[in-house]
Every structure is written in C-alpha cells, then in structure tokens.
Amino acid sequence: MPAEDSVEDSLEELDDFSDSGSDFEATVKSTKRTKPAVPGPPPPKRPRRKAALTAMSSPSTSPIPASPDPSLLQQPSRGTNRQASHRPVNEEDPGISAVDIYDAVCSGKTAMVTVVDEWLDCYKRSRETGLLVLINFIVRSCGCKGVVSREMFDSMQNAQIIGTLTKEFNEESVNYPLCTPGPLLKRFKASLCEFARVLVHSCRNSLVYDEYLFPSLMALLTGLSDSQVRAFRHTSTLLAMKLMTGLAKVAMIVSVQLQTTQRQYDMENSKEAHDRASDRLEELQATISELLENRAELVSMMNGTFRGVFVHRYRDLLPEIRAACIEELGVWLRTNPEDFLNDGCLKYLGWTLYDKQSPVRLQCVHALQGLYQEKEFIGRLEFFTSRFKERMLSMVLDKNPDVAVEVVNLLLLIQMNTEEGLSEEECAHIYPLVYAAHRGLACAAGSFLYKKLKCVIVEDNQENGKSDNAEFLQILISFYIQSEFHEHGAYLVDSLWSVAGSELRDWEAMTTLLLQDSGLMYEEEGALIDLMMCAMRQAAQATPPVGRTQGKKILSKKAKRPDTRRITTHFIPLLPQLLAKYSADAVKVSLLLKAPLYFDLQMYNSSPRLEKYLDLLLSQICDIVAKHTDVTVLEASAHLASTFRSDYYTFSSRAHLAFSQLLDGLTESLNTYLSDVLQGTADDDDVYNAANTLKRIAVLRSAKDSTGWRLFYSCMELLKSRMESRELDKELMVSALKCAALHLMWAKVNAVNATPAEAELKRLKKEVRSFCSVSQTCLSLNQPDIRDQAFELLCDLLLLYSANSARSETALNVLIHLPSDSLRSEMASFLMDFIFSDTEETELNVEGEEEMKITLLQKRRNHLAGYCKLVIYGVLDLTAATDVFKHYSKFFSDYGDIIKETLSRSKLINPVQSAKTVCLSLQQLYSEMLLEDPSRQDHSEIRELAKRLAMSFGINLHRVRKPLMALHMDGVSFAFREPQDGEKQHQNVAFLEILSEFSFKLLQPDRAQLAAFLKTKCPSAALSWRPVKMYQRSLETRSSSKPREQEGSDAVSSHETPVAKRKRTTAQGEMDTCSVSSSVRGSWLDSSSINGGLHTPALTSTVQKQPARQPASRKPQDTESDVGSVLNEPESEDEFSSGYQMRKVKATQRRQPVSHQTGSTSNQQDLNSNFDLLSLIEENNEEREEAEIEDYRSDSDSESGYTLPSTRHSLASALDELFE
C-alpha cells in the first residue's frame, strides 16, 4: 500500500530536502498562523466513525480514563476546528500555565498524567491558548527567560519567534536545565521525557489527528532544533525525538488494528453470499479506510520529524544530542520495524559506530543489541551485519572499556542468533580479552568464550557421550595452552568465574583427570594444575587477581566458608597422592604446594583419620625438599612450613618437629661436605652437594629460626676461604651469604623479644661487623650474582642494626652498627658502576633478550630502593643521596619514581639539608664535566636536571623559602670559590646558568637578598660576564605592565569580536566579521583549511592505538553544511547499499567570511545583532575539542589494544613495600 511505503520512500530521498528547514514545516505555516474569518467550524472534509475511535483505544494500558471525551466523539470530522476552540475564554480561570508545567517537571514529584490532563482541559477550551502554553513551557525548558506572547503567536512565523527569543536569551549563564550538573539534570530529563510520552499517549485517539496540535508543535521543534543556540537545539531535539517515539508506537498500534480489521473483513467476505452481513462489511470497510487515513497521517508526521530533525541532529556537534537521536532511533527500530527496520535507517547506526565520543558509540551499540536480541529481525539485519561486522569486531579494543564491554555482548548476540555467526578468525579478536586488566571487559569476553566452548561440547558429546565438565575442562586446557599467556591463569579463571563457576569448582573431575594414567598429555597436566590452583584461590578468597578492579562486593567469611570446607574435604586425602605422582616435576610440585594455603587447616584435627593425612603430607614435603634444588619449589615448601608452624593451629608442634628433623639432617649433611670443602680436598661432586644442601638450608631458614644450628661461623669461613683462593663458586657463596645473613636477622629478632646478656650482644655485634667486612669484599668481585646478593643483604642488615631500630630498647644500643667510610664508598661505587650504568643493557640489546632486560631492571630497582632506604632512615647521610639525585634526569624512565620519592622523603627529614644536597649533586656533575672537558660550554643536560629538581620544590613558595635560599647561597659560593690545586680562576662561574633554573621559585624579598649576596661574592670585573648577567636577570622582578597590556588588548579583542563564535551561513548571504577580527585572523583564515563540509560517513577510529598519527592528506570537498554539524548527509543511499568507501577525513571548521556580500544593510545589522549574543553561540575551540574527528585507520595498522595484567610487582610497588 502506498501509505505503508511512504516512510521508506522518503528515506531514500533524504538528500533532496533543504538544510534550512523541513518542507513539512512550510506546509503547516498557513494553517498555524491564519485565524478563521468565521467563528463557526468549517465544513467537514470526510466523515469519521465513533467506532474508529473505540477500536484505536487501549484501556488496559492507558494511564488516563479510557472512555473518550464526549465532546471529542461529537466532532463532525477530523481536521476541523473544534467548536470548543472558539468559545469565549474565561480570563479569570485560564487553567494551567507554562510555569506550572515547568515547575511540575522540575520537581519530578507530580504525576505527569495529572499535568497533561490539566493542559488538555486548557487546550479543549481554546486550542490556540493551549498550544501557546505548551510553546512557552518548551521555551522555559530551554532555559530561556523570554515569553511568546499572543501577539507574537498570531503575527509571527516560527523563524521570527525563534529569532526574537534568541535575542532575549539570558546571557548571564551558559547552563540550561538539560546540562545543569547534579541530580537536577537526571530528574529534569526523566520528567521531561515522561511528559512527552504521556502527552502522545493521552492524545493518541483524537488530538494526534486534528491536523493542528502535533503539526504545529513539530514545526516549532524543527525550527528550534536548527538554532545556533545550544540550549534550544538540545532541548527541542530531545523533545522531538521523544514525541516521535510516541508517534511510532501509536503507528504500530494502528498497524496492528489495521491487520486485525483486515482479517475480520476477509473472513466475513469469504462467507457465502447468503451468510455474509453487508452492514458488517460496510462497517469494517469504513474502519479500514479510517485506519489507513490515520496511519497515513502518522507516517506523514514521522517523515517530517525524521527529515527535519533527525537527519540533521544525529550528526550534531554536541555529543548529547547525537546520543539522544541514536537512542531513540533504536527504539523506533524495535517498536515499529514495519516503517523503520530497513537499510535506510540502519545506515545511521552503522555510521555512528565511528563517532569519536564514547557515549554516542555506547548508545549505538545498545540500539544494536536490542535489534539482535529479536530473532525475527535477524533476516533484515543480514546486509547490515555484513557491512559493519568488521567495525564491530575492531570496537572490542575501544578506548572506552564500557563501550568495549557492550560490543562484546553484541557480538555474542550475533554469534548466538545469526545463522552464519562469527568465524574462528573473527572470534580470535575476542578470545584474548579474557586476560584484559579491565574486569568488566574480561568477564564479557569470558562469557563469549564460555558460550563458544559449550557449543563445541554439545557437538562433541553427540558423538562420544563424555561428561560435560570433563569435556569442558579439556577444551579449556587446550585454549589456555594455545593462548600462550601461561602466567595469567588467574585472570582466565576470574573471567570465566561468573558463567563457568560450577565447572571450575568441579574438583572431582579435575583430580580424576590428574590421577588417571592415560588422561592428559604432559603439558595439559601442567595447565590443569595451574588452572585448578587458580580456581581454588578464587573459590577460597573470592577476590579478583592483582591488577583487576573489584567490580562486585567482596564475599564475607561466612560466604567463603562452604567453598573452603568443600575444597579441604576433597583435597586432604588426595593431595599426598598428587604430590607423590608429580614429585619429580618442579613446576607442578611448586603449584601443588600452594593448595594447603586455601584449606581450612583446622579440619586436620577434626578426626584421627585426617591426622594421618597430615603426617603423610609433612612427609611428602620433606621428601620434596630433599629431592629438589629449584628455588621456586624450596620457597613454596618454606612458605608451607611457616604456615603449619603457626601457633594458631594445634598441630603446629608436629609440623615443628618434622621440619626440625629435616633441618637436622640437612645440617649434618652439610657438615660432612663442608670439612672437605674448607680443607680443599673436595671434588666437584662434593662442592655441588654442599652448594645444594646450603641452598636448601638458606631457604628453610627464612621460615624457621635456625640460630641453634650455629652455621654462621662455618659460612663465614667458607666465604673467606673461597675469596682467598679465588674459587668463586656462585651457588655455594650466594647460599653461604644468605645463611649467614639470616642467622644475624633471626638473632636480632630474638634479641628484641628477649634481651640476652651483654656478652652475647657484643658477640652478635662482632658477627655483624665480620659479615659487613666480608660482604664489602664481595662488592668488588667479578661475579654479578654474588655481588648483587651481597649488596642486597648489606642494605637489609644495615637497616636492621641501625640506630632507629634500637630506639625502643636502650639495652640494644650495643647492637647499633654504622657503616664505615670505606663501606659507604664501596656501596656508592656499586651504585655508579652497576645501577646507573648502560653497559649490561647494551649487551642484552645485542642479544635481544627482552625478558632478561626486564628482570635486570627489576633487580636494579630493588637495589636502588634498598640504598635509598638507608638514606631515608638515617643510616647514610643525606649527602650520600647526591649519587642518586644527579641521575634523576638521565634515568628518569627507569628509576624516576624511586628517586622522586627519596627526594620527597628527604625534604620531610630536613628541608634545608635536602636543598643543599640537591645543589651538591649539581656541583658534582658540573665538576665531573669540567674534568672530562674543561673547554665544554654546553650545560644543557645539567640544566635539564636542574629544571626537574626545581619542580620538586612544590608550589608553596613560603614553605620552601629557607631551603631555596640555602641552595642559592651554596651555588653562588661554589661559583666564586677560591681555585684549588690545578684549577683556573673562576672556572665555576658558569654554574650560575644552572642555578638560575631555581630562581623562579624565589619570593621578591629573597631575590633582592640574593642579588646583594651575589655582589659580595662576585668580583666587580665579573659583573659583565654572561653567566652573571643571566643569573641577575633571573633574580629581577618580572615586569607585569607588558603582559597586562597584552592581556587587556586580548580581552578587548575577544569581547568586541566574536572570533571564537560559530556563525551560520544564511540563504540571503554571508556577513562580514568585524574589522578587528579580520585583521587578527585574516592570515590564519587564508592558511587554514576550514571551509568546506565533510562527506558522510565521517569515520573515526576509536580503537586503542598509538596517539601519534599523520594527518589525512586529502582535503575535504567544499559543500554547504549544517549549523553544529560534524557529519554530512550522503549524496544517496547507494553509498550504504552499494558499498561506500571508508574515507579518511580531517577535522574542519567553517570559514568566517572575509568579504562583504551584497544584500540589504538592515538584514546585515539584524544578523550582527544576533552574533553579538556571545553566550548563546558555541565557541569553536570548545566544540572542536569536543567533537574533533580523527583519521580513521584500519585495525590492522594499530597494535593490540587490550592490556594484559602483570603478575609481577608493578614499578610503583617497590615504593609501597620498600619505603614503608
């Protein structure tokens, strides 16, 4: 039928309309503004039946009384002026006013049905008065204080009314109700949308078809939506979209009624002639005709609104307007697919997927989700899916994680509901997201993966009937192995936990697969054990892994207990079997040893049967320690030993006995080998066995006090003999250093807990001094592992035996050990040679060992943090920090956070001394530079360091007065100090250039004082030298007259000339900007490619990628564009249907005209008066920043955008752990 196809036909001709407004608006101007000459009603156009009104009503869903108003039922025809509209208006009782409606909407406490009913009563008395009330309500909702009077309403057209309101708009505030921050915005917007919905619903049976109310209202909203004033444009667009949503729902109801009536007519007409009721057929035929007319009128109004508002504003410059248009488009597509669900409307969703603003993209994705949820729509979406699937796949890496989450959910709908679904290559875009750091995105990808794996399981089980959970685990293991992110099993489990929690908690299926002989391959067993331990941690702790934000509430202990007890009950008898089976595999054993950490260990005492398994487990752990030398396995065993030995458990004595016996055996074995090693009679096997035994003892001693075994002196003798003989066995000496240091650490703990005799304390201090002497010797060895271990242990022991550690116990002052000058010098040399050095990194770069480079950097950061702790806690003087501060700029990327934290802590300790240390570090760098090249004049590196250090003093200049004065005085004294042996006269004077970088932090009195101090230090002849002049200029007070004049001129220019305001190009001609604007911006206009519009679709890549990008080289074509528009309408629908090209576009700005155009002077003045309303017109800079269009780049050009969480400590964690 022609009426049913009119919407689609009109959409195919979208480019034939004028940008100045809608042709729909022109058709209603005469009917809206012309008063009838005769007060009586005109003759009816066509008869209407009361049955049509009754058939169209739906009393079950109507929020107002379902029975029609008798006055409405007595209308002679549709489209006539009702008798009530020409009754004399009672001036004493005008009814509801625009202010009343506005207050009700703002408060949100009044039922909108009541408000609309009151307004309808007003409209029934006089439709002109009622419409005027509604118009003034809309104007007030825009934030405009102007009022449309009855005279304006009768004599002016919409454009004239809007122009008058624009001039009267409040300029004091740029805010309007729809952009007011706070809860008011949400309440007002919701109430305004509810008002529009109730208005359409209340008028759906009669006033929608009176050819006056809604056409006049839509014409006004169309004009307002094309305004330059953002408040008008935003509010009117939102209202127009909500009204059109209501009309779309009414149209759908009419379509259903039409189909029902048509079926009734066909059934009646199919009867035999003698059974056929002619009156019934005539009544049904009349009803069908009336419903067709109603539908045609609704389609006409929807066409006008779509063409006059939507196609302009879906590309508006304001993201909120674009988002509102796309949100309502999604509603139209779902509620009225008959008229809207076609390629002509779907193309707008496809184009908006490229919008730069994430809220717009999010609304677009939400709209598509609503469509793909309905299986009956899938057939109509096939072409859209094929055209925009690639874009949707690329959006899983969207910059905004919320958009990426919804895109993954959308792709899951496509996968589940479409016949073709997604290919494996397309699914590969989504699978890696299960390892993403954003938990919401990871869980969405986990849901997608789970559904995909379940589909595979269903297909496989039809063939071989395996258990679902076992099959799921095997497929998950294969995925985990193939993904190659083997350090991130916890993140995979966390992603799947919400959807696959039952499968991942099936401990019986997991242990069955592990214990059966021919179940899994070797690599699959390791993967399953890893996933099982991650699942146990997730079930017991109910928290996401490190690096993922907690999206849900953390479960209480009561909620955790059922899983913990279930885990314990299942694994207590099976863990010894698993350890026995995999005891030879270091990786698997180290994972399995984590299992008891998630047990409810008190259950071991619940029955004698379980105590048997405790003894078996302790025996297994001792056997594993005796069998393995891998550090990971030994550390896991030591952690478990420390847990079992806790006094919290009643079985701790049994664990203590088991591990004491283990240490006894290891110590006896060590003594057997050690005598031969010290005598030099040991062969290689004895040395190897001694090193491994010592390694086991060193790791276990970290969990158990082993001072009773008296291994300190044996280790010290071993270290001394090896260094004397220069037989530097790495494993042996590193383990010996650890054992000796742990002995001293446990001895200090015991001394704090129970103060021993003075003789014992003196002996302990002697041992500390002996260890520091040996470790100092190790710092100069050519063995990196030994050297690094010695430096790390020195930092820990010096801190443990420092003065700060003995403050609480005066009796322990005997144990205070301060580093000797030689040790300080040796540690500083270690810092310079092995931390602030690029030699090892260069070697690694040649070898290409990126992972080794990261490990080396982490080790260096730990060493630097240990050294900085010694400075912060007073073990070393603040002056020792000069070796750290002078590398702040050069090594900023590697150690910048640690050095900055040290700098901040030093200021808290002693601000003046810290500032002097900063100056001393610069002096040392300057002196080193002169030693290398006395004639060097380039101080850029040192000045860059000075700039960074100056910024560390903060913005509170009064607080840093004394430190800065001390720094400047030290610097000036250094610049003019007396020459020492071999130095030239005043060779340090150039240091003043470096010192000038700190002058901007000085207050005026301090500047004058320093200028006088400079004259006392500087010889009179040196006052003309360039460094001295430069420093003097930095101390001078900055003159404010010139900047103020400049600021004043800028202010005048910006006020007099709206150069940053957006002008609209009118049909009559273009206006010239002011002369000041022309002179200021003329050259810029000539050189800027700001004139011209953009072809649609404007494609913006929102995929995460590198920010650096070359601008698009192709210049956009010049074409007329809308006000406030960032996208242009395509030339035809063929661009969508026949496969348009994805263009690269630039952000553009409209050209301000620079030449006078012919036209009337009065029109020009009128336009200029509108342009002077600076607060009403969008500023170019602000709007360009909001909706700047990026160049679209294909996803193949961008790197992977998802972020994998790190299982290692982050760079900042050293500060949290080491500086506490």
Side-chain angles (χ1 to χ4, degrees):
M1 287 178 287
E4 297 176 353
D5 299 332
S6 58
V7 172
E8 184 173 355
D9 295 339
S10 65
L11 294 179
E12 293 176 354
E13 302 171 356
L14 287 176
D15 297 290
D16 296 335
F17 61 83
S18 170
D19 280 345
S20 62
S22 172
D23 56 348
F24 169 65
E25 178 183 355
T27 61
V28 300
K29 286 183 179 178
S30 59
T31 61
K32 176 180 182 300
R33 298 299 173 219
T34 304
K35 296 182 65 175
V38 182
K45 295 195 301 182
R46 65 177 71 90
R48 292 179 60 88
R49 285 182 170 270
K50 291 167 61 177
L53 294 174
T54 307
M56 290 171 57
S57 63
S58 54
S60 62
T61 60
S62 176
I64 59 176
S67 60
D69 193 325
S71 63
L72 299 180
L73 294 178
Q74 293 172 5
Q75 290 185 100
S77 68
R78 173 169 56 90
T80 63
N81 292 325
R82 293 183 297 163
Q83 192 76 17
S85 66
H86 299 286
R87 297 172 185 169
V89 180
N90 185 2
E91 298 295 339
E92 297 180 358
D93 186 19
I96 193 168
S97 65
V99 176
D100 296 334
I101 301 176
Y102 178 77
D103 292 341
V105 170
C106 284
S107 66
K109 299 178 181 178
T110 307
M112 286 299 114
V113 175
T114 305
V115 177
V116 172
D117 282 349
E118 292 183 16
W119 176 83
L120 285 174
D121 293 338
C122 176
Y123 184 82
K124 291 172 186 176
R125 288 193 294 269
S126 172
R127 68 178 188 179
E128 287 82 6
T129 302
L131 181 59
L132 188 60
V133 169
L134 192 57
I135 290 174
N136 280 313
F137 161 68
I138 294 173
V139 171
R140 194 171 184 85
S141 298
C142 296
C144 180
K145 301 301 182 183
V147 177
V148 180
S149 64
R150 186 58 180 263
E151 292 75 13
M152 294 170 58
F153 181 75
D154 292 337
S155 60
M156 292 184 181
Q157 298 296 325
N158 284 338
Q160 296 172 315
I161 293 176
I162 294 171
T164 303
L165 292 174
T166 300
K167 296 177 184 178
E168 297 176 1
F169 204 97
N170 181 19
E171 299 183 36
E172 296 178 359
S173 175
V174 296
N175 287 334
Y176 54 95
L178 277 182
C179 74
T180 303
L184 177 63
L185 167 62
K186 182 179 291 187
R187 184 168 64 245
F188 178 82
K189 183 177 179 181
S191 298
L192 187 64
C193 297
E194 177 67 9
F195 177 83
R197 185 193 69 80
V198 174
L199 178 63
V200 177
H201 190 82
S202 300
C203 301
R204 69 190 187 282
N205 294 331
S206 56
L207 296 182
V208 170
Y209 311 108
D210 72 348
E211 294 186 350
Y212 179 76
L213 173 60
F214 279 88
S216 301
L217 186 59
M218 289 302 187
L220 177 67
L221 293 176
T222 301
L224 286 173
S225 69
D226 203 32
S227 172
Q228 289 181 323
V229 181
R230 178 183 297 188
F232 284 157
R233 207 167 67 248
H234 188 185
T235 309
S236 61
T237 300
L238 178 63
L239 277 172
M241 295 297 99
K242 290 297 179 181
L243 290 175
M244 184 166 172
T245 299
L247 293 176
K249 292 179 180 178
V250 173
M252 193 61 191
I253 293 174
V254 173
S255 297
V256 172
Q257 293 172 349
L258 182 60
Q259 293 173 5
T260 303
T261 308
Q262 185 66 46
R263 283 197 302 269
Q264 293 175 351
Y265 177 84
D266 294 340
M267 289 177 62
E268 188 68 26
N269 195 35
S270 63
K271 295 179 181 179
E272 298 293 336
H274 59 277
D275 294 332
R276 190 181 305 157
S278 58
D279 293 341
R280 174 65 173 165
L281 284 176
E282 290 178 4
E283 184 179 358
L284 291 174
Q285 183 62 46
T287 304
I288 290 173
S289 300
E290 189 166 4
L291 290 174
L292 287 173
E293 292 171 4
N294 292 345
R295 176 169 169 74
E297 189 163 343
L298 289 170
V299 168
S300 176
M301 283 190 288
M302 290 190 294
N303 278 344
T305 307
F306 192 91
R307 298 175 61 185
V309 181
F310 177 84
V311 296
H312 292 279
R313 299 281 69 83
Y314 91 95
R315 55 193 179 179
D316 193 275
L317 202 60
L318 191 65
E320 289 84 355
I321 296 178
R322 303 202 299 275
C325 291
I326 295 303
E327 180 182 5
E328 296 308 311
L329 177 60
V331 178
W332 307 338
L333 292 168
R334 292 194 306 272
T335 59
N336 194 351
E338 182 179 352
D339 292 326
F340 291 99
L341 191 54
N342 51 63
D343 292 342
C345 291
L346 287 172
K347 64 183 179 183
Y348 296 105
L349 291 180
W351 293 340
T352 313
L353 288 173
Y354 296 90
D355 196 287
K356 181 178 179 180
Q357 299 297 322
S358 59
V360 185
R361 298 195 303 275
L362 187 61
Q363 289 296 342
C364 184
V365 175
H366 282 158
L368 290 173
Q369 286 176 350
L371 296 178
Y372 281 99
Q373 284 174 353
E374 305 295 336
K375 292 190 176 182
E376 59 267 23
F377 294 166
I378 299 301
R380 302 189 191 186
L381 294 171
E382 287 182 358
F383 186 59
F384 176 88
T385 306
S386 63
R387 292 295 301 140
F388 291 101
K389 184 191 290 186
E390 183 178 355
R391 171 58 183 165
M392 289 186 279
L393 287 169
S394 70
M395 288 178 69
V396 299
L397 304 181
D398 195 276
K399 295 176 182 178
N400 189 313
D402 294 333
V403 177
V405 169
E406 297 303 326
V407 170
V408 173
N409 294 332
L410 172 62
L411 291 172
L412 177 58
L413 291 173
I414 295 175
Q415 167 69 19
M416 301 301 294
N417 294 336
T418 60
E419 293 184 3
E420 296 181 358
L422 300 177
S423 64
E424 280 301 319
E425 183 179 356
E426 292 168 341
C427 291
H429 289 78
I430 306 172
Y431 292 155
L433 297 177
V434 296
Y435 299 102
H438 188 273
R439 192 162 193 250
L441 179 58
C443 290
S447 179
F448 183 93
L449 175 63
Y450 177 77
K451 298 291 185 183
K452 185 70 175 177
L453 296 183
K454 276 295 185 181
C455 292
V456 176
I457 292 172
V458 170
E459 295 175 1
D460 291 348
N461 284 353
Q462 291 177 355
E463 301 175 2
N464 50 34
K466 288 185 179 179
S467 170
D468 282 352
N469 287 357
E471 186 73 14
F472 175 82
L473 290 173
Q474 288 187 329
I475 298 178
L476 183 61
I477 291 168
S478 301
F479 170 81
Y480 183 48
I481 294 173
Q482 294 172 10
S483 64
E484 298 181 356
F485 294 121
H486 299 157
E487 294 182 358
H488 299 83
Y491 299 89
L492 174 60
V493 170
D494 182 59
S495 302
L496 293 168
W497 197 252
S498 59
V499 291
S502 60
E503 290 87 347
L504 293 173
R505 289 189 183 93
D506 193 348
W507 316 120
E508 184 177 355
M510 294 181 183
T511 51
T512 301
L513 286 173
L514 290 173
L515 291 174
Q516 63 186 7
D517 295 332
S518 59
L520 300 172
M521 303 294 289
Y522 173 80
E523 190 176 8
E524 292 175 339
E525 290 176 338
L528 178 56
I529 292 174
D530 190 6
L531 293 176
M532 184 174 69
M533 291 300 109
C534 295
M536 289 176 66
R537 187 206 67 82
Q538 188 84 8
Q541 298 179 357
T543 56
V546 177
R548 274 192 183 163
T549 55
Q550 177 67 46
K552 300 178 181 178
K553 292 179 64 176
I554 300 176
L555 295 179
S556 62
K557 291 183 178 180
K558 185 177 181 181
K560 296 178 189 177
R561 189 171 300 165
D563 273 337
T564 304
R565 295 186 65 86
R566 186 164 162 262
I567 290 171
T568 308
T569 304
H570 179 78
F571 279 96
I572 279 180
L574 294 180
L575 183 59
Q577 299 179 38
L578 292 171
L579 290 174
K581 179 176 180 179
Y582 298 106
S583 60
D585 193 312
V587 176
K588 295 172 184 175
V589 165
S590 62
L591 291 172
L592 289 171
L593 287 174
K594 296 178 182 179
L597 302 178
Y598 311 122
F599 288 179
D600 182 4
L601 295 178
Q602 293 286 12
M603 292 183 64
Y604 274 113
N605 294 326
S606 61
S607 67
R609 183 178 63 87
L610 297 181
E611 292 181 0
K612 175 185 66 175
Y613 293 113
L614 175 62
D615 295 335
L616 190 58
L617 178 60
L618 292 174
S619 174
Q620 288 282 357
I621 294 173
C622 294
D623 292 342
I624 288 171
V625 171
K627 186 181 298 184
H628 287 275
T629 59
D630 186 81
V631 176
T632 306
V633 177
L634 296 177
E635 288 179 350
S637 302
H639 190 189
L640 207 53
S642 177
T643 302
F644 283 159
R645 291 179 60 254
S646 173
D647 294 336
Y648 179 76
Y649 304 112
T650 56
F651 57 80
S652 59
S653 58
R654 302 168 69 175
H656 181 81
L657 177 62
F659 290 114
S660 296
Q661 292 175 351
L662 175 63
L663 270 175
D664 288 339
L666 291 174
T667 303
E668 183 179 354
S669 176
L670 175 65
N671 291 331
T672 302
Y673 297 119
L674 204 56
S675 58
D676 295 336
V677 172
L678 291 175
Q679 294 174 6
T681 59
D683 56 11
D684 293 341
D685 291 339
D686 292 339
V687 173
Y688 175 78
N689 292 329
N692 288 335
T693 304
L694 201 55
K695 180 191 289 188
R696 296 186 181 100
I697 294 174
V699 174
L700 290 176
R701 292 187 83 171
S702 63
K704 177 178 172 56
D705 178 15
S706 57
T707 53
W709 277 266
R710 301 290 180 182
L711 291 176
F712 177 78
Y713 291 103
S714 300
C715 292
M716 296 303 296
E717 290 179 14
L718 177 63
L719 290 170
K720 291 178 182 178
S721 64
R722 285 285 157 174
M723 286 188 290
E724 290 174 359
S725 62
R726 309 306 294 176
E727 296 179 2
L728 306 178
D729 186 276
K730 180 186 69 173
E731 295 288 343
L732 190 62
M733 294 189 66
V734 168
S735 300
L737 282 171
K738 284 183 179 180
C739 279
L742 286 169
H743 172 87
L744 298 176
M745 292 177 186
W746 279 111
K748 177 62 184 294
V749 172
N750 295 334
V752 172
N753 294 334
T755 305
E758 185 176 354
E760 187 68 21
L761 293 177
K762 289 182 178 180
R763 183 184 63 79
L764 180 57
K765 183 174 182 180
K766 183 178 179 181
E767 291 176 354
V768 173
R769 190 182 300 112
S770 173
F771 178 82
C772 289
S773 176
V774 172
S775 298
Q776 179 180 345
T777 306
C778 291
L779 292 179
S780 58
L781 297 178
N782 196 24
Q783 285 285 343
D785 293 328
I786 301 174
R787 185 177 62 220
D788 294 345
Q789 188 66 62
F791 184 85
E792 185 177 332
L793 294 173
L794 271 174
C795 291
D796 292 338
L797 281 175
L798 289 175
L799 191 61
L800 189 61
Y801 285 87
S802 65
N804 287 334
S805 64
R807 284 180 180 175
S808 58
E809 296 287 342
T810 55
L812 298 180
N813 288 336
V814 182
L815 295 180
I816 296 176
H817 176 75
L818 298 177
S820 61
D821 293 339
S822 60
L823 179 56
R824 297 169 191 260
S825 176
E826 197 69 41
M827 295 182 73
S829 299
F830 179 90
L831 210 66
M832 303 298 295
D833 295 338
F834 305 113
I835 295 179
F836 297 113
S837 174
D838 298 329
T839 54
E840 295 186 32
E841 288 189 8
T842 304
E843 296 174 0
L844 289 175
N845 284 336
V846 172
E847 299 174 4
E849 297 289 344
E850 188 66 26
E851 187 175 352
M852 290 295 296
K853 183 178 178 181
I854 295 174
T855 304
L856 176 62
L857 176 61
Q858 188 64 39
K859 184 185 294 186
R860 289 180 174 182
R861 286 175 57 83
N862 290 336
H863 293 160
L864 178 61
Y867 185 86
C868 291
K869 281 195 298 183
L870 298 180
V871 175
I872 290 171
Y873 290 101
V875 179
L876 300 177
D877 296 335
L878 274 180
T879 54
T882 56
D883 296 324
V884 178
F885 293 164
K886 63 186 179 183
H887 296 96
Y888 185 34
S889 180
K890 184 177 180 181
F891 291 89
F892 183 80
S893 60
D894 293 339
Y895 315 119
D897 54 341
I898 299 176
I899 300 176
K900 184 178 180 180
E901 183 69 15
T902 306
L903 196 58
S904 301
R905 298 287 184 100
S906 67
K907 287 181 171 60
L908 297 177
I909 297 170
N910 191 331
V912 174
Q913 187 61 34
S914 174
K916 289 186 174 185
T917 304
V918 168
C919 185
L920 180 60
S921 63
L922 295 172
Q923 293 172 12
Q924 290 179 0
L925 275 180
Y926 182 82
S927 300
E928 292 171 6
M929 182 195 70
L930 292 181
L931 287 176
E932 294 177 0
D933 186 4
S935 62
R936 183 176 177 181
Q937 300 295 325
D938 183 16
H939 309 140
S940 58
E941 291 185 7
I942 306 180
R943 291 190 65 176
E944 179 63 28
L945 173 61
K947 289 179 183 178
R948 285 188 181 271
L949 293 174
M951 296 305 295
S952 68
F953 282 89
I955 60 175
N956 191 338
L957 303 185
H958 291 278
R959 180 180 295 177
V960 297
R961 285 187 69 180
K962 290 184 179 180
L964 281 174
M965 285 294 294
L967 183 146
H968 277 271
M969 287 182 176
D970 282 5
V972 172
S973 301
F974 173 76
F976 296 104
R977 73 177 183 182
E978 293 296 328
Q980 299 178 1
D981 297 338
E983 290 185 353
K984 298 180 181 179
Q985 186 74 14
H986 302 309
Q987 68 172 6
N988 298 331
V989 71
F991 185 76
L992 293 177
E993 297 181 12
I994 301 169
L995 194 61
S996 64
E997 299 293 343
F998 295 88
S999 300
F1000 75 99
K1001 294 279 187 181
L1002 293 170
L1003 297 177
Q1004 175 55 31
D1006 300 334
R1007 293 172 185 265
Q1009 185 178 349
L1010 283 174
F1013 180 75
L1014 176 66
K1015 291 180 180 179
T1016 61
K1017 291 289 185 179
C1018 175
S1020 58
L1023 291 175
S1024 60
W1025 295 351
R1026 185 177 65 86
V1028 179
K1029 285 186 175 182
M1030 183 177 182
Y1031 183 65
Q1032 285 179 327
R1033 283 197 301 271
S1034 70
L1035 296 178
E1036 292 175 358
T1037 305
R1038 297 181 180 177
S1039 176
S1040 59
S1041 60
K1042 183 175 180 180
R1044 285 178 181 174
E1045 293 173 1
Q1046 183 65 32
E1047 291 173 5
S1049 64
D1050 292 344
V1052 171
S1053 173
S1054 63
H1055 179 73
E1056 293 179 352
T1057 310
V1059 293
K1061 309 299 180 184
R1062 185 177 298 280
K1063 304 289 194 294
R1064 177 167 182 182
T1065 303
T1066 62
Q1068 288 101 2
E1070 297 178 340
M1071 295 309 302
D1072 198 12
T1073 55
C1074 298
S1075 58
V1076 177
S1077 174
S1078 300
S1079 60
V1080 172
R1081 303 179 60 194
S1083 59
W1084 180 78
L1085 288 171
D1086 293 339
S1087 61
S1088 301
S1089 58
I1090 61 172
N1091 124 6
L1094 306 178
H1095 283 287
T1096 0
L1099 306 179
T1100 304
S1101 176
T1102 54
V1103 177
Q1104 292 180 340
K1105 51 182 175 267
Q1106 299 296 330
R1109 194 180 309 136
Q1110 295 296 328
S1113 58
R1114 190 174 70 83
K1115 183 177 179 180
Q1117 298 179 7
D1118 297 343
T1119 181
E1120 185 179 354
S1121 58
D1122 282 344
V1123 174
S1125 172
V1126 293
L1127 302 174
N1128 280 79
E1129 188 66 17
E1131 295 181 359
S1132 69
E1133 189 181 337
D1134 294 339
E1135 289 193 16
F1136 172 77
S1137 58
S1138 61
Y1140 52 84
Q1141 292 291 326
M1142 303 293 187
R1143 300 181 179 89
K1144 294 184 179 179
V1145 297
K1146 285 186 185 177
T1148 63
Q1149 182 183 14
R1150 289 173 182 77
R1151 179 184 296 275
Q1152 298 288 350
V1154 295
S1155 62
H1156 290 280
Q1157 303 293 333
T1158 59
S1160 78
T1161 306
S1162 62
N1163 290 338
Q1164 293 178 359
Q1165 292 175 351
D1166 183 56
L1167 287 173
N1168 282 330
S1169 68
N1170 289 334
F1171 292 156
D1172 288 337
L1173 302 177
L1174 302 182
S1175 65
L1176 304 183
I1177 312 303
E1178 289 84 11
E1179 297 188 9
N1180 284 345
N1181 293 337
E1182 176 188 353
E1183 304 251 3
R1184 287 170 61 197
E1185 183 177 352
E1186 285 181 355
E1188 176 187 358
I1189 300 178
E1190 294 179 346
D1191 302 331
Y1192 175 69
R1193 185 175 64 177
S1194 65
D1195 301 322
S1196 60
D1197 297 335
S1198 63
E1199 297 180 0
S1200 176
Y1202 52 87
T1203 305
L1204 292 179
S1206 175
T1207 54
R1208 305 181 178 87
H1209 288 293
S1210 62
L1211 296 182
S1213 64
L1215 302 180
D1216 298 334
E1217 296 179 0
L1218 301 177
F1219 285 114
E1220 277 190 1

